Amino acid sequence: LTEFDLRQVLTFHGEMSSLEHVDEVSGASAVITYTTTEAARSAVDHIHLASVRGKTCRCCLIRDADLVWKTMSSGHRLYVEGLDLNMESQGLQDVFSLFGTILDAKVQTDEFERSQGYGFVHFLEAEDALKAMASLHGMQFGSSSIQVRPFNVITDSELFTGCLYSLMGSVSSVFEPREAGTEWIGGNMESYAGGWQENWQHQQQPQW
């Protein structure tokens, strides 16, 4: 997706004060600043898991990405395999959202947007993840039965693109002071091995 494509979609939801297009190492991500909280939330509500020029976009507020990162290995995230190849990320999220609030969900695809038959779901509450796992493991959806287990950060993370939520550290140099109350959203966030949390905490200081 080009910056022009992104602006065409994103400006529909409100006035943007900046759009930082991140390089390929960070998963072709973008960091967007809106002038109002309402605009940022509207963009997330409408763009998350939507298709833009044939690509499924994942979009979230930075504060939610921060929460996902902090709970990656504490039982909030489930690995799901044996998915029907026709199931998309939205369908996966819809099924699991019956058990609680979902912060993120993804069916892994190849470069042609074809399902690889596995994905993940990340719950706001670990208790809801346990309920979903107990209820859905072995259940048939479409042509196959799914297997659900806790996500292993060490072995499972490398199976996915755009889902390690450390965008803040990898592009901290492009962050500039913003007015208080501004919210950020980013799509298709990729991994970065460095310790971004320290940078992110610095960005949270009152001088914003």
Side-chain angles (χ1 to χ4, degrees), residues 26-40:
S26 295
S29 304
V31 179
I32 299 96
T33 308
Y34 281 99
T35 57
T36 67
T37 297
E38 291 74 20

Side-chain angles (χ1 to χ4, degrees), residues 168-181:
M168 286 72 77
S170 61
V171 297
S172 59
S173 61
V174 306
F175 281 19
E176 298 175 356
R178 308 294 179 188
E179 293 180 3

Side-chain angles (χ1 to χ4, degrees), residues 22 29 46 98 102 117 147 152 178 182 205:
V22 185
S29 304
H46 290 88
L98 296 173
I102 304 294
Q147 293 79 52
N152 186 309
R178 308 294 179 188
T182 299
Q205 296 306 308

